[in-house]
Amino acid sequence: MNLNLYTLAIAGTILLGIVHILSTFVFYPAFDEASYWFIGTGLGIIFAGLANYMNYRINKPLTYQCVFIINSLLLIFALLLSVRMFIHIPAILVTMFSLLLLICCLKQKKY
């Protein structure tokens, strides 16, 4: 059950990053500095999901340590964003998926 939840969290995180990038074209009709930051955040979310996938597949001490740091920083960022934006569905989703990634990462550790 734990590994299935981890794969769901990884897939959800990557999908959330893709939707974040695609929604840039809706929220920012012209490419300016803000739109590039928005795309960069989506890429960061995708890379966090891919790093967790590597940890899920390899499950070595180095990948675990890297992913633990990535998930912790993503959760801190998401919590600060949620506090700033209060009731904003994307911020809440990022917070939920980053918390789920961190919990699943901690439960998967075998050494």
Side-chain angles (χ1 to χ4, degrees):
M1 178 63 183
N2 179 27
L3 295 181
N4 292 333
L5 189 60
Y6 198 16
T7 56
L8 178 68
I10 291 168
T13 302
I14 293 171
L15 183 63
L16 188 63
I18 292 169
V19 169
H20 199 276
I21 290 172
L22 293 176
S23 65
T24 303
F25 304 109
V26 175
F27 297 122
Y28 299 97
F31 279 110
D32 57 357
E33 184 180 352
S35 66
Y36 287 117
W37 278 108
F38 204 76
I39 289 172
T41 302
L43 287 172
I45 293 169
I46 291 171
F47 289 141
L50 292 174
N52 276 278
Y53 180 70
M54 286 183 353
N55 181 52
Y56 172 73
R57 296 289 295 175
I58 298 172
N59 198 17
K60 298 285 184 189
L62 180 62
T63 59
Y64 170 78
Q65 292 167 354
C66 291
V67 164
F68 177 77
I69 292 169
I70 290 168
N71 291 340
S72 299
L73 291 174
L74 184 61
L75 181 60
I76 291 168
F77 171 76
L79 286 171
L80 292 173
L81 185 65
S82 294
V83 167
R84 171 82 169 99
M85 301 183 84
F86 190 56
I87 301 177
H88 193 262
I89 301 300
I92 293 169
L93 285 173
V94 171
T95 305
M96 288 177 15
F97 278 110
S98 59
L99 179 62
L100 190 58
L101 284 174
L102 184 62
I103 290 170
C104 291
C105 170
L106 290 171
K107 284 187 175 185
Q108 187 194 19
K109 184 178 178 185
K110 295 180 182 174
Y111 34 83

